[in-house]
Structure formats: C-alpha cells, structure tokens
Amino acid sequence: MNRWIPVCTVEDIPALGARRVAREHGLDVAVFKAADQQLFALLDRCPHKGGPLSQGIVFGHSVACPLHNWNIALDSGQAAAPDHGQTPRFALKVEHGQVYLDAHELETLATEATRPLAGPARRTCPGAASGAC
C-alpha cells in the first residue's frame, strides 16, 4: 500500500514547466505540467550528462534537457532515439488539486544518483608551445 506525501498544488506548477521537490537523500524530483494539464514526475537529472530537467523546455509529453537538448519522455523517462538512456519516473497522484508523490519512492528510488560536477574550463591555444598565445 502506498503512502502518499503532498508536495504542492497543481496551480504551483507552471504550464509547460516544472516544480522541483527536494528529497532528504538524493537528487530532487521534478514534477512537470504538460499543455494538456497532465502531470508527470521524473528524477531531475538527464540520463545523458545529468542536466537539470526541471529547467528544460516542456513540449507535448516530453522535456528537452537544457544542456544538450536531449528529449526525454515524461511518461517513461526514456530518451528519444537516436539517444538512449532513461531517468527514473516517480508515481504521482492528484486529489482535489493537491499533488502527491509516493513516500517510499521518495526515500529509496535513485537516491545514489549524483549530478556530475563541472570541471574547470580549459582553453587550448595551438600556439601555446611557442608562446604565441
């Protein structure tokens, strides 16, 4: 039996956007609202390079990752071909305008996933060896 936790109201989620839900352990969960008002919940991490999907562009029932424009299906978390990979999907329900997520999934699903850290920017110059840069 599921134990549901209220996380926000439907009105709290912008149309064609997302709202992030912080967890005690692991990355945030992103709750998306499509143009047809359907709601979806995914781990806020692109399967490609870990981009924050909550900052992506929602279109149809997909979201485009803000880092490299990978398209992720909101109903499955699956990347659209030719890309491959999947981000975990979370169960969600709505009652009387209140959005709920499954407590067990929030506590256990993909809690080991991390977001890659950006490394230092390096610029190489073809003339560096000769001191021309």
Side-chain angles (χ1 to χ4, degrees), residues 8-112:
C8 65
T9 66
V10 172
E11 288 75 29
D12 292 335
I13 308 166
L16 298 175
R19 180 178 177 99
R20 289 184 304 151
V21 176
R23 300 193 294 169
E24 187 172 326
H25 302 288
L27 298 175
D28 294 347
V29 174
V31 180
F32 297 92
K33 184 189 287 181
D36 63 3
Q37 304 299 306
Q38 280 196 263
L39 302 180
F40 305 92
L42 297 175
L43 185 69
D44 191 18
R45 183 184 193 281
C46 179
H48 177 226
K49 298 280 186 179
L53 294 176
S54 61
Q55 296 178 28
I57 297 172
V58 175
F59 60 99
H61 286 176
S62 297
V63 60
C65 178
L67 294 185
H68 300 100
N69 204 33
W70 275 37
N71 295 327
I72 310 299
L74 293 173
D75 61 350
S76 66
Q78 187 69 44
D83 301 320
H84 56 85
Q86 188 171 19
T87 195
R89 182 179 65 88
F90 289 76
L92 173 149
K93 78 171 187 176
V94 177
E95 285 184 356
H96 308 294
Q98 181 70 50
V99 179
Y100 296 86
L101 294 176
D102 181 282
H104 180 70
E105 287 184 352
L106 287 173
E107 294 166 2
T108 61
L109 186 59
T111 55
E112 74 289 345

